[in-house]
Amino acid sequence: MPQATDIVLGGDGYMIQPGTYRRSSDGSAESITGSIVLRDFVGGQRRAIQLEPERGWDSEGVGPALFGQGVEPWPYQASHADAVIAVPSSTSRIPSALLADAIYIGIGRYLYRAVAISSPTWSDFTQIADLGSGVTITGLAPFAGKLAIACGSARDITLIDPVSLALTTLQTGEKAYQIIAYATRLAWSDATPGNAARIRLTTGGGLDDRQLDSDIVRMVLHGGKIAIATRSSLYLLGGRSDPANGVWLGEVEPAFTQGMWTGPNDFQTLVSFGGKLYAWLANQLMEWNPNSGASRQGWRSTGIEGRESFDATVAGNWLIVSIRALNGSGQLWAYDGTGWWLMESGIVRAWPISLAGTARSDLLAFRHGSTTYDIYRLSPRDATNNALRSSGAWRTSLLDAGRPESPKIWRSVQATFATPEQRGNPVSTDPVTVEIRYSIDGGATWTSHVSMTISGPPMQSLTLGGPIASPPSSAYLQVEVRWSSVVDWTPTLTGIAIIWDRTDAAARRRRWQMTVQARDRSIERNGGLHPRTAPAITADLWTAWSVGSVLPMRDVDYDQDPVERNVRLIGISEARPSASPGLPPDVATLALTLIEI
């Protein structure tokens, strides 16, 4: 049935004075153009929402270049299938130690030695000792020119001469789980039954010990002292030995008490780096810095979390941590003191050890159930022995242009690559492929924006990307820059520029301005007479304005566009032209302003 009146407001019909109807958008201009520029990458990854412009979200295989002002594929990685070592396991720690000119590791009952630190190339480990059936090596430490070997309760602490490979016993009956060299002496956690909370120390004139509150879990050097983690507390032990009296001068200092043991993986990682202590506690990596002002007696979360940890090490100038993420993936993380970078993901690479420059490399990580392991170079040695990874990606956080509640039209994405010096091999002819992708669904799917293959010699300046052919619309955008086919040079990412248009929500609402006639027996569209009197029409409109409630409205074109919209009457102005000849005294006109809700 056709609409009888010009509009219907709150269920009542009204006739509009000719020439007064206006309908428009509300608010300011619809399109606001802006840009996002990322040009400093200090701080690494692990920033989900772009609160800090220099940090991105997790993406594998890149690291900082130009002291964090750029990003490039990193680090160099090579796999080695070793024909000698026993099969590593992610459930059994592989201890390591540097003695003289070589790295030593223990896998199960066997002790192995790597090639000399000075060797330019890597080869298989050499087995140098078999500690016997039922023995598992739990710790290694250099001591008095020999290597001390801890084997838990299965065997007394054993010393091996690195030249003759002769095995001797430190002292009959002394057994250890954790073992560490400190101040030319040896300290260990007692592995004899009933003494798991006792630390033993050589003094040069005998042995001394200290009793702690609960079982000792890990021991590392930190701040010139021994950091000792038990199942309930963290202690520091310094001091020195007194050979003449056979005692240790120094007492354990309680540093922190967590109060409970949250799981067998607690303190699986305990490592000192940059003057701070890092520990795996309650499924996350915690940083202990009592001078930082952080809560919980100096502990704070680093943002690295997962199901379990497979230890950590300091290699080169990096802290390297191996974990199994909450999604089950193995991850190898690197920390440079300012931020975290994801080195590897996928299979678990456990028990990372520092190679101290052996074979021009810095790090080795084992694979569960395989004698193939991974070797990494974290710092370049020369033009050909670089630290570049064959592929990698830098991914931004979720970008929202400061307005997460508003959809944006993402018009352009452009990446700049620049370096004031030659990086990598200056005469390389390697063709490197660089691609820019974007995602509007939080990284669930990706769309390729532009890709280019650049053949050497290396370029020091390059701009890639520009306007997007079919600009997407979303509240968030992620951008990813990917490198592949990298051998000995790569463009260095130094900036990402994004241009967007924001659709203002206020401009998507309708606004009406019109003058309504209030008179008795008004003639409606169909020729009929309106049933309400002029005073009733006037009173209804003033009531709607004063109450301020939301009213359903059928517009003048409802017959063609049958949509009922919710509006609010926000402005009203009444005029009574009673002095006009021929008009009844109750006739009025009411100028209305309505806005869509």
Side-chain angles (χ1 to χ4, degrees):
M1 181 178 178
Q3 185 167 278
T5 55
D6 291 333
I7 66 168
V8 177
L9 184 64
D12 296 322
Y14 297 92
M15 298 300 294
I16 298 172
Q17 185 170 314
T20 65
Y21 178 87
R22 299 287 186 275
R23 182 171 62 187
S24 64
S25 63
D26 181 60
S28 58
E30 290 194 12
S31 183
I32 301 174
T33 300
S35 64
I36 300 172
V37 179
L38 310 178
R39 55 185 178 186
D40 192 350
F41 302 92
V42 173
Q45 302 172 14
R46 298 259 84 188
R47 173 62 73 185
I49 308 296
Q50 199 74 28
L51 302 179
E52 298 179 43
E54 69 273 20
R55 297 179 68 178
W57 182 240
D58 301 356
S59 46
E60 180 183 354
V62 293
L66 306 174
F67 305 100
Q69 297 169 81
V71 171
E72 60 189 17
W74 173 91
Y76 173 81
Q77 177 270 342
S79 299
H80 181 82
D82 199 302
V84 175
I85 64 171
V87 178
S89 170
S90 62
T91 61
S92 182
R93 178 186 303 278
I94 298 178
S96 65
L98 171 63
L99 175 64
D101 64 344
I103 300 292
Y104 294 78
I105 64 170
I107 302 179
R109 61 192 278 185
Y110 302 108
L111 182 68
Y112 302 94
R113 181 166 58 194
V115 296
I117 290 176
S118 58
S119 174
T121 58
W122 184 265
S123 61
D124 293 349
F125 280 96
T126 300
Q127 180 184 316
I128 61 171
D130 179 353
L131 280 297
S133 177
V135 172
T136 297
I137 298 173
T138 61
L140 301 173
F143 175 64
K146 298 181 180 181
L147 188 68
I149 308 169
C151 303
S153 60
R155 182 183 173 115
D156 291 345
I157 297 173
T158 301
L159 303 178
I160 184 170
D161 187 300
V163 178
S164 67
L165 303 184
L167 298 176
T168 56
T169 299
L170 175 70
Q171 186 165 315
T172 302
E174 292 298 330
K175 295 176 171 58
Y177 286 116
Q178 301 290 317
I179 194 166
I180 194 166
Y182 177 70
T184 73
R185 304 305 181 191
L186 202 61
W188 63 91
S189 59
D190 197 341
T192 56
N195 290 319
R198 185 172 70 168
I199 183 173
R200 300 277 280 167
L201 307 101
T202 61
T203 65
L207 299 177
D208 201 356
D209 59 63
R210 298 291 184 273
Q211 193 73 25
L212 303 181
D213 60 354
S214 57
D215 293 1
I216 296 172
V217 182
R218 290 298 303 276
M219 295 167 49
V220 297
L221 295 178
H222 172 68
K225 296 181 179 181
I226 304 174
I228 309 163
T230 72
R231 289 196 171 193
S232 56
S233 303
L234 182 68
Y235 294 90
L236 296 175
L237 174 62
R240 59 184 178 83
S241 63
D242 180 2
N245 297 300
V247 297
W248 187 265
L249 303 177
E251 296 298 327
V252 289
E253 308 164 22
F256 174 75
T257 299
Q258 68 264 26
M260 63 178 181
W261 181 247
T262 63
N265 209 235
D266 279 0
F267 291 112
Q268 183 76 268
T269 292
L270 186 66
V271 61
S272 178
F273 176 73
K276 303 171 186 176
L277 196 63
Y278 295 85
W280 188 261
L281 283 172
N283 287 23
Q284 60 182 321
L285 189 70
M286 303 290 289
E287 176 189 276
W288 184 61
N289 182 13
N291 300 317
S292 67
S295 60
R296 294 181 62 191
Q297 295 180 313
W299 286 102
R300 74 172 186 89
S301 175
T302 65
I304 302 298
E305 61 182 3
R307 299 182 186 180
E308 55 187 325
S309 169
F310 303 99
D311 211 358
T313 190
V314 176
N317 58 344
W318 293 85
L319 170 61
I320 310 296
V321 181
S322 171
I323 69 169
R324 190 190 304 277
L326 295 175
N327 63 8
S329 171
Q331 293 182 344
L332 203 60
W333 285 94
Y335 181 62
D336 63 357
T338 62
W340 291 95
W341 301 81
L342 180 58
M343 291 174 55
E344 296 271 19
S345 65
I347 64 172
V348 169
R349 291 170 171 87
W351 320 123
I353 64 172
S354 172
L355 292 181
T358 305
R360 300 190 182 99
S361 300
D362 301 290
L363 177 72
L364 184 150
F366 296 93
R367 303 181 184 184
H368 171 74
S370 173
T371 57
T372 296
Y373 45 76
D374 299 282
I375 296 173
Y376 301 88
R377 184 180 302 122
L378 307 180
S379 301
R381 300 307 198 268
D382 51 49
T384 55
N385 291 286
N386 57 68
L388 298 175
R389 197 174 189 263
S390 60
S391 62
W394 168 260
R395 185 177 302 162
T396 70
S397 307
L398 291 170
L399 306 173
D400 59 20
R403 293 290 296 271
E405 78 285 359
S406 301
K408 274 77 62 177
I409 300 173
W410 304 99
R411 298 289 184 186
S412 174
V413 177
Q414 191 174 72
T416 56
F417 303 81
T419 174
E421 64 180 14
Q422 286 282 358
R423 295 180 66 81
N425 184 359
V427 296
S428 174
T429 58
D430 174 38
V432 178
T433 299
V434 183
E435 180 187 14
I436 301 175
R437 307 193 306 172
Y438 63 85
S439 173
I440 60 174
D441 55 12
T445 60
W446 292 88
T447 300
S448 180
H449 174 40
V450 64
S451 179
M452 177 184 289
T453 298
I454 313 139
S455 295
M459 299 178 65
Q460 289 184 238
S461 179
L462 171 69
T463 299
L464 184 63
I468 299 175
S470 299
S473 176
S474 64
Y476 291 99
L477 179 77
Q478 277 186 287
V479 175
E480 184 181 76
V481 178
R482 300 173 62 86
W483 294 260
S484 59
S485 188
V486 176
V487 176
D488 56 1
W489 83 279
T490 186
T492 301
L493 176 67
T494 52
I496 298 174
I498 300 158
I499 298 175
W500 50 266
D501 292 339
R502 189 178 74 230
T503 302
D504 198 323
R508 309 303 294 181
R509 300 188 301 179
R510 293 168 176 81
R511 174 186 285 264
W512 293 266
Q513 292 176 311
M514 63 190 75
T515 299
V516 169
Q517 297 175 351
R519 59 190 308 170
D520 295 342
R521 300 176 63 80
S522 297
I523 299 175
E524 296 181 338
R525 285 181 173 183
N526 59 6
L529 299 178
H530 189 73
R532 289 185 297 161
T533 64
I537 294 172
T538 301
D540 288 344
L541 290 172
W542 276 106
T543 299
W545 170 82
S546 62
V547 173
S549 58
V550 176
L551 304 171
M553 175 185 171
R554 296 182 179 182
D555 210 348
V556 294
D557 57 354
Y558 181 78
D559 290 342
Q560 290 74 41
D561 181 21
V563 177
E564 191 171 76
R565 295 181 170 86
N566 291 325
V567 301
R568 181 176 281 121
L569 178 57
I570 62 171
I572 185 169
S573 176
E574 180 182 350
R576 289 180 173 270
S578 58
S580 298
L583 292 178
D586 289 331
V587 168
T589 59
L590 295 100
L592 308 181
T593 300
L594 301 105
I595 191 167
E596 185 177 18
I597 302 303

